[in-house]
């Protein structure tokens, strides 16, 4: 049976995971087994629970305990549920809980690249993307449009950042993902052809029929401003562009990923 704890102060022990801890502290890179993340809204929390993530504590408005959060509470077992006045919780989290509930959950140990790639035929590689909204949107497109996995280089944003999880609508829990080295050539050892999305003189259009014939391909996406580094582009098997109209040179990285995932699924 869950324990309901009424709070009347922002300093109440146990709620720091929802307010005081930074994303870096939550991630706890020194001791990954102790790392946490925060999922928001019953729908997203249910997706995380279905994926096997362990809940640690909940924060929700009192009116949602027997309302929107009820089904979540029933699944979470004996964990503390912090509740209080709406204004106090808004001060605690920095915004009004429009979806009624936050859940602190324990992170899983990162999967080996070999395990994530073993049965995959289509993967997205995120290289140096640090915008949390873009990360969440990329995961949502990758999951929805049939990609088998997502790989991130160390200079990319954490997919379990609170905003990334929220923007992805829980898709970060639906598609296998892990961290890889900065060298995309690593994927060639697993039988992948690498496709750098970039604007170069020798790029081929996204609908080039040769691309769909590739049995295993890795779609490499870079930042919006600088794009992919030249050494990354040079190490890939193909450089690919999305044909543009009306003088537009490129799309937002999240939109470009969605288009590429659809075409190459």
């Amino acid at each position: 049976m869950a324990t309901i704890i009424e709070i009347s102060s922002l300093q109440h022990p146990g709620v720091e995971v929802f307010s005081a801890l930074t994303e870096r502290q939550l991630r706890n890179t020194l001791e990954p087994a102790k790392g946490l993340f925060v999922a928001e809204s019953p729908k997203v929390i249910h997706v995380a629970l279905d994926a096997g993530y362990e809940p640690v504590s909940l924060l929700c408005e009192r009116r949602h305990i027997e309302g929107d959060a009820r089904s979540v509470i029933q699944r979470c077992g004996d964990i503390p549920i912090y509740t209080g006045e709406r204004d106090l919780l808004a001060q605690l989290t920095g915004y009004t809980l429009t979806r009624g509930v936050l859940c602190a959950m324990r992170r899983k140990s990162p999967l080996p690249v070999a395990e994530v790639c073993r049965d995959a035929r289509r993967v997205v590689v995120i290289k140096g993307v640090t915008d949390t909204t873009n990360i969440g949107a990329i995961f949502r497109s990758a999951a929805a449009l049939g990609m088998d996995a997502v790989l991130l280089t160390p200079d990319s944003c954490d997919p379990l950042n609170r905003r990334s999880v929220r923007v992805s609508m829980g898709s970060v829990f639906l598609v296998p993902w892990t961290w890889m080295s900065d060298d995309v050539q690593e994927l060639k050892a697993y039988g992948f052809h690498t496709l750098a999305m970039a604007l170069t003189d020798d790029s081929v259009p996204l609908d080039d029929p040769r691309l769909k014939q590739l049995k295993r391909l890795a779609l490499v996406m870079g930042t919006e401003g600088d794009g992919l580094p030249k050494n990354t582009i040079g190490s890939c098997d193909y450089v690919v562009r999305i044909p543009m109209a009306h003088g537009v040179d490129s799309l937002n990285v999240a939109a470009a990923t969605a288009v590429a995932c659809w075409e190459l699924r």
Side-chain angles (χ1 to χ4, degrees):
M1 186 68 180
T3 304
I4 298 176
I5 302 171
E6 190 84 23
I7 66 171
S8 57
S9 166
L10 301 182
Q11 284 73 47
H12 195 287
V15 299
E16 60 276 356
V17 66
F18 299 106
S19 60
L21 297 185
T22 64
E23 290 290 344
R24 181 179 293 273
Q25 290 170 322
L26 286 171
R27 187 173 170 185
N28 198 348
T29 53
L30 295 178
E31 297 183 82
K34 296 182 180 180
L36 302 172
F37 68 92
V38 176
E40 177 183 347
S41 87
K43 179 180 179 179
V44 172
I45 295 168
H46 277 302
V47 175
L49 291 171
D50 290 342
Y53 285 89
E54 177 189 350
V56 174
S57 60
L58 286 164
L59 176 74
C60 67
E61 290 182 41
R62 190 181 299 107
R63 66 191 178 98
H64 289 302
I65 291 177
E66 290 297 327
D68 291 346
R70 184 176 182 181
S71 60
V72 170
I73 293 171
Q74 290 173 340
R75 295 187 63 183
C76 284
D78 187 16
I79 64 171
I81 301 172
Y82 299 101
T83 188
E85 297 297 333
R86 190 179 200 192
D87 290 345
L88 177 66
L89 299 190
Q91 292 178 53
L92 182 68
T93 61
Y95 56 91
T96 301
L97 299 183
T98 54
R99 294 178 179 85
V101 56
L102 299 177
C103 184
M105 310 190 87
R106 201 167 302 285
R107 289 172 178 262
K108 297 180 180 181
S109 298
L111 295 170
V113 173
E115 182 177 337
V116 172
C117 290
R118 184 173 55 231
D119 299 320
R121 296 183 64 250
R122 297 287 187 268
V123 302
V124 174
V125 177
I126 300 176
K127 172 75 177 79
V129 177
T130 58
D131 183 276
T132 55
T133 299
N134 282 334
I135 292 289
I138 289 172
F139 265 85
R140 190 170 184 180
S141 294
L145 300 176
M147 295 297 105
D148 299 312
V150 176
L151 303 168
L152 303 99
T153 57
D155 52 353
S156 298
C157 175
D158 175 25
L160 295 185
N161 172 285
R162 187 185 299 188
R163 183 165 180 79
S164 296
V165 173
R166 183 164 71 247
V167 171
S168 81
M169 290 299 292
S171 295
V172 294
F173 310 124
L174 296 177
V175 59
W177 65 271
T178 196
W179 300 97
M180 63 173 290
S181 72
D182 196 48
D183 184 6
V184 298
Q185 291 194 71
E186 172 186 356
L187 298 176
K188 295 182 181 181
Y190 303 109
F192 285 93
H193 285 86
T194 50
L195 280 59
M197 294 295 295
L199 299 174
T200 64
D201 293 337
D202 61 346
S203 62
V204 300
L206 182 62
D207 58 357
D208 188 307
R210 290 174 296 175
L211 302 181
K212 285 191 176 182
Q213 294 173 7
L214 302 176
K215 291 184 178 180
R216 310 185 89 187
L217 64 83
L219 186 64
V220 186
M221 309 300 300
T223 61
E224 281 185 64
D226 298 328
L228 291 169
K230 289 184 178 180
N231 64 325
T232 299
I233 295 173
S235 69
C236 288
D237 297 306
Y238 294 87
V239 185
V240 182
R241 69 181 184 279
I242 299 173
M244 296 281 129
H246 297 292
V248 177
D249 59 355
S250 64
L251 295 174
N252 162 281
V253 64
T257 302
V259 172
C261 287
W262 170 256
E263 180 65 26
L264 300 174
R265 65 197 185 287

